[in-house]
Amino acid sequence: MPPLDATALDRIFRTARTYRAWNGEPVADATLHALYELIKWGPTSGNCCPARIVFVKSREAKERLRPALDAGNVAQTMAAPATAIVAYDLEFYEKLPTLVPHRDARSDFVGKPALARSTAVQSGTLQGAYLIVAARALGLDCGPMGGFDPARVDAEFFPDGKVRSNFLCNLGYGDPAKLHPRAPRLAFEEVCRIE
Amino acid sequence: MPPLDATALDRIFRTARTYRAWNGEPVADATLHALYELIKWGPTSGNCCPARIVFVKSREAKERLRPALDAGNVAQTMAAPATAIVAYDLEFYEKLPTLVPHRDARSDFVGKPALARSTAVQSGTLQGAYLIVAARALGLDCGPMGGFDPARVDAEFFPDGKVRSNFLCNLGYGDPAKLHPRAPRLAFEEVCRIE
C-alpha cells in the first residue's frame, strides 16, 4: 500500500508539536470516546490492554490534580480542556478471560507480580503513545508531561492501589503562537543500523 | 482541525492487524530511513530520544537473531523482510547536549542509573509505539513480539552493555489470508472515566 498522504504524516508526526497553551475551545466527551475507540485497537503484549485512563475535565477534578503537579506544569494543566491521566492496571490479567477467550492467559500472571508489572508498564506505555498519536489524528493537540508526583495522583485518583499513573497528557486545541522553536533530533546513523 | 479521513484512521488503528505471514515483497533500506524520519518526531520525556533500533534484514543477521527467539516466533521472523530490534540506550543522556542544547540536561541523569533506566524504558517504549504507527502510515505491516530472550539479543547485537532490547517488530507486507479473527477489546467504561 502507498504511504498515507502528506497531511496525515504531518499531522501525526512531522509537524505535530507538544503544546503548553490552548486556544480556549473545549474538548467534547464524545471526542474522548472517539479517542478511546482508536486507542483500543493498538497492539499490546498478548492483547493484555493494561492502560487505564482518567480524563480530568471538571474544575473540581483539576483541583484534585493540582497539588500533584510540578510547579512548571500547573498553569498549562489547569488551562487545558482535558488532562488524561495515563495509567496501567497491575491486575490487568483479571480481564484476560474477556480479552483472550481461547485460552487461560490469566494464569500466566496470577502470583507473578514482577512479570505483571513489567508487562503492564510496557504495554501500558505503548497504549500511552497510541493515545498521543490518536489524539492528533482526531485533530486534538497534546501536551504530554512527566513532571508530577505519581504517588499523589494514585492516592487521589486510584485509591484501590491496583492502578499506577504513568504520565499525564493535556488535550485540547493548541495555540501555535506560543510554541518555541523545535528541539533537535538525532540522525538516522546515531539511532539506527541496518544489518 | 477536522479528524484525518477514514482511510488514515483505518490504516493506523481501526483495521490494522498484527501480521505473522508475509507476501514476499522486500522492504527497501530507503523505507527504513523514511520510517525513522517519522519516528524521530514523536515526543519523549525532555526530548531524551533513548530508542535505538537495529533493522535485521540479511540472512546472516537473521541467523544471529534466531537462537534468541521463542519457538513460536521463529518462522514468522525468519520469513519477514525485516525485523526491528527496538531497544533503548541506558546512557541516552550522553546525547542530551545535542538534543537539549539550551541547558545542561545531561547532569540530571549522570550517576543516577535508576532514573536513567526508568526514563529510557518509558520514552523508549513510547518510541517503539511510534515505530508501529509510523510503519503502518508508510504502508508497511507490523508483527510486534515480546517472545524472545532479551539477554541473548543484547549480547549478540549490543555487546557494549549500554543498550537493552525492549521488543521485536517484524516489518513487511502482510498476507491477510493468514490472519485469525480479531481479539476482543475492552469497552470505554472498563478502561476510562471522565471526571
Side-chain angles (χ1 to χ4, degrees):
Chain A
M1 275 189 291
L4 295 179
D5 64 25
T7 301
L9 299 181
D10 284 349
R11 178 85 72 85
I12 60 177
F13 287 114
R14 294 191 302 208
T15 61
R17 298 291 306 274
T18 289
Y19 282 84
R20 295 176 164 264
W22 313 97
N23 75 2
E25 186 180 343
V27 174
D29 287 3
T31 302
L32 300 176
H33 281 262
L35 178 58
Y36 177 68
E37 294 302 314
L38 294 177
I39 296 167
K40 74 177 185 181
W41 294 122
T44 55
S45 179
N47 198 37
C48 66
C49 300
R52 303 292 180 263
I53 306 165
V54 179
F55 295 107
V56 179
K57 282 185 72 179
S58 70
R59 182 51 42 193
E60 295 70 22
K62 283 284 187 74
E63 291 297 336
R64 291 164 54 211
L65 185 58
R66 182 199 288 266
L69 299 171
D70 285 6
N73 288 331
V74 170
Q76 61 178 326
T77 303
M78 300 309 284
T83 303
I85 303 172
V86 179
Y88 50 83
D89 185 350
L90 293 171
E91 295 187 6
F92 66 87
Y93 48 80
E94 295 299 346
K95 293 188 188 290
L96 287 176
T98 299
L99 290 163
V100 185
H102 59 283
R103 72 175 192 90
D104 176 17
R106 177 178 175 277
S107 59
D108 297 348
F109 296 99
V110 174
K112 297 175 186 165
L115 177 64
R117 171 179 288 271
S118 64
T119 302
V121 167
Q122 185 188 50
S123 285
T125 304
L126 293 174
Q127 291 183 286
Y130 304 147
L131 178 142
I132 293 169
V133 177
R136 292 167 168 182
L138 290 177
L140 290 162
D141 293 306
C142 295
M145 299 174 288
F148 69 104
D149 179 343
R152 207 155 174 175
V153 169
D154 295 351
E156 185 64 35
F157 289 91
F158 307 114
D160 73 2
K162 298 176 184 173
V163 175
R164 300 293 161 84
S165 53
N166 188 351
F167 66 92
L168 307 180
C169 187
N170 287 327
L171 297 169
Y173 301 92
D175 177 356
K178 301 276 174 52
L179 290 171
H180 296 290
R182 202 166 196 181
R185 296 298 195 272
L186 300 171
F188 181 91
E189 291 71 21
E190 295 177 279
V191 174
C192 304
R193 57 183 206 264
I194 299 173
E195 294 207 346
Chain B
M1 274 189 291
L4 295 180
D5 64 25
T7 300
L9 300 181
D10 285 349
R11 177 85 72 85
I12 59 177
F13 287 115
R14 295 191 302 210
T15 61
R17 297 291 306 275
T18 290
Y19 282 83
R20 295 176 165 265
W22 312 96
N23 76 0
E25 187 180 344
V27 173
D29 287 3
T31 302
L32 300 176
H33 281 263
L35 178 58
Y36 177 68
E37 294 302 315
L38 294 177
I39 296 167
K40 73 177 186 182
W41 295 121
T44 55
S45 179
N47 198 37
C48 66
C49 300
R52 303 291 179 264
I53 306 166
V54 179
F55 295 107
V56 180
K57 283 186 70 180
S58 71
R59 181 52 40 194
E60 295 70 23
K62 283 283 187 76
E63 291 298 335
R64 290 165 53 211
L65 185 57
R66 181 198 289 266
L69 299 170
D70 285 6
N73 288 330
V74 170
Q76 62 178 325
T77 302
M78 299 310 284
T83 303
I85 303 172
V86 179
Y88 49 82
D89 185 350
L90 293 171
E91 295 187 7
F92 66 88
Y93 48 81
E94 296 298 347
K95 293 188 188 291
L96 287 176
T98 299
L99 290 163
V100 185
H102 58 284
R103 72 174 192 91
D104 176 18
R106 176 178 176 276
S107 60
D108 296 350
F109 296 99
V110 174
K112 297 175 185 165
L115 177 64
R117 171 179 288 272
S118 64
T119 302
V121 168
Q122 185 189 50
S123 286
T125 304
L126 293 173
Q127 291 183 287
Y130 304 146
L131 177 143
I132 293 170
V133 177
R136 291 167 168 182
L138 291 178
L140 289 163
D141 293 306
C142 295
M145 300 174 287
F148 69 103
D149 180 342
R152 205 154 175 176
V153 169
D154 295 352
E156 185 64 36
F157 289 91
F158 308 113
D160 73 2
K162 299 176 183 171
V163 175
R164 299 294 160 83
S165 53
N166 188 349
F167 66 91
L168 306 180
C169 187
N170 287 327
L171 298 169
Y173 300 92
D175 178 357
K178 302 276 173 54
L179 290 170
H180 296 291
R182 202 166 195 180
R185 297 298 196 271
L186 300 171
F188 181 92
E189 292 72 20
E190 295 177 278
V191 174
C192 305
R193 57 184 206 265
I194 299 173
E195 294 207 345

